[in-house]
Amino acid sequence: MELLKKRISEDGRVVGQDVIKVDSFLNHQMDIALLNEIGKEFKRRFNGEDINKILTVEASGIGIACIAAQYFNVPVVFAKKTESRNLDEEVYESKVFSFTKSKNYNIKVSKRYLNSEDRVLIIDDFLANGCAAAGMMDIVRQAGARLVGIGIVIEKGFQNGGKMIREAGVRLESLAIVESIKNNSIIFSEEKKGENNK
Ligand code: 5GP
């Protein structure tokens, strides 16, 4: 998605060897016009698929998933990371290692909001080693729901998450794939002709 790649090139910042900060438009301040285009692009890519629910994880995924959901006309369920007395007792739960915080946490989804009738699209902001995606895939599996695909805004192609998901036979649509980071600049994967990219 050219608009997104242009924005990452202009406003993204590299931290250390492998972290991309996009706080000015995605992870802190949010550019809603851009998020609308991202939502439309997810809809374009998954058009015709039988999706009745979008699953994401708090916090950064929520805004992206909610805007995309308006184009799919489906509800969003977000996995909770924080302990809360408000959460139902009957939950699906999975352990996730956080790439940015370097620690494990549990994600939980109430059994009320995901079941074997559901056809789920997972949406998240970044894909690095795939731990967050694997946790959500595990929750979809526990619910007996059907995983239709995974939509990612920024995939870091030099980490293993994309490979893991594709090898699991799951449809993965990443709107921008970063191939490498060299001398603080972000290099994107070449899009192959005929690929489902804009
Ligand atoms: P994974 O679980 O795939 O290793 O990492 C994905 C999660 O970690 C995403 O939900 C995102 O919140 C965070 N993350 C991973 N890499 C980056 C990055 O380079 N920049 C930012 N802002 N978040 C990242």
Side-chain angles (χ1 to χ4, degrees), residues 74-143:
V74 299
V76 172
V77 176
F78 66 90
K80 301 212 179 200
K81 285 179 184 170
T82 42
E83 292 298 325
S84 164
R85 278 196 294 170
N86 283 338
L87 193 58
D88 294 340
E89 282 185 3
E90 292 280 297
V91 293
Y92 309 111
E93 190 167 353
S94 193
K95 188 177 274 181
V96 171
F97 181 77
S98 166
F99 176 78
T100 42
K101 298 190 181 72
S102 291
K103 62 172 193 187
N104 284 315
Y105 60 92
N106 286 328
I107 58 171
K108 295 180 187 177
V109 171
S110 166
K111 291 191 175 175
R112 263 177 220 262
Y113 304 121
L114 211 53
N115 62 51
S116 58
E117 307 280 285
D118 287 322
R119 289 93 56 201
V120 180
L121 172 64
I122 291 174
I123 283 187
D124 205 3
D125 58 347
F126 273 89
L127 179 63
N129 292 317
C131 300
M136 287 189 274
M137 286 161 73
D138 184 33
I139 280 179
V140 172
R141 187 195 51 76
Q142 289 176 42

